[in-house]
């Protein structure tokens, strides 16, 4: 089992930046596929970014602005968000998917609000 603890959300003005962190309870990089999802009010949860061996992937709306990365020593995944837009406002969730069992683990979510 994996427990994910997120931090870094908050209120930011359009054009600003935030760095989200997701700390895992145990080693995850060799066994789990890590990603970030978000869910805005009244909308479906969508994949934002995912770490892949062939190159990290991003949803079209965040390409060029968001960067996903990981620190194996800290067992932590990050999402650097630059040039934030009001449309980015959502609850952001860290996700760990076991590559063998396909079991998904989710963080508690962290609120990101982009507003003037």
């Amino acid at each position: 089992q994996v427990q994910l603890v997120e931090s870094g959300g908050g209120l930011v003005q359009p054009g600003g930046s935030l760095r989200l962190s997701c700390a895992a309870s145990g080693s995850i990089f060799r066994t789990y596929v890590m990603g970030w999802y978000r869910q805005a009010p009244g909308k479906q949860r969508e994949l934002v970014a995912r770490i892949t061996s062939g190159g990290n992937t991003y949803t079209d709306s965040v390409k060029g602005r968001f960067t996903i990365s990981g620190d194996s020593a800290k067992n932590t995944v990050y999402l650097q968000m630059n040039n934030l837009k009001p449309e980015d406002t959502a609850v952001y969730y860290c996700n760990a998917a076991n590559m063998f069992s396909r079991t998904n683990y989710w963080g508690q979510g962290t609120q990101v609000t982009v507003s003037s």
Side-chain angles (χ1 to χ4, degrees), residues 1-94:
Q1 297 184 8
V2 173
Q3 183 175 5
L4 307 173
V5 180
E6 298 163 321
S7 62
L11 175 65
V12 65
Q13 295 182 341
S17 299
L18 285 174
R19 184 179 177 87
L20 305 183
S21 298
C22 172
S25 60
S27 297
I28 45 86
F29 289 105
R30 294 188 299 178
T31 310
Y32 294 85
V33 176
M34 304 300 298
W36 286 92
Y37 290 72
R38 69 184 180 187
Q39 186 167 23
K43 296 184 178 180
Q44 297 184 134
R45 186 172 298 185
E46 67 170 342
L47 175 66
V48 176
R50 179 189 290 145
I51 297 176
T52 65
S53 59
N56 299 336
T57 61
Y58 302 89
T59 190
D60 288 343
S61 62
V62 308
K63 288 181 179 177
R65 299 188 297 120
F66 290 12
T67 303
I68 188 171
S69 63
D71 186 332
S72 60
K74 296 181 178 180
N75 211 32
T76 300
V77 176
Y78 304 96
L79 183 67
Q80 178 66 46
M81 305 184 293
N82 298 325
N83 192 25
L84 283 161
K85 303 176 180 180
E87 306 90 86
D88 296 318
T89 296
V91 177
Y92 284 71
Y93 298 91
C94 182

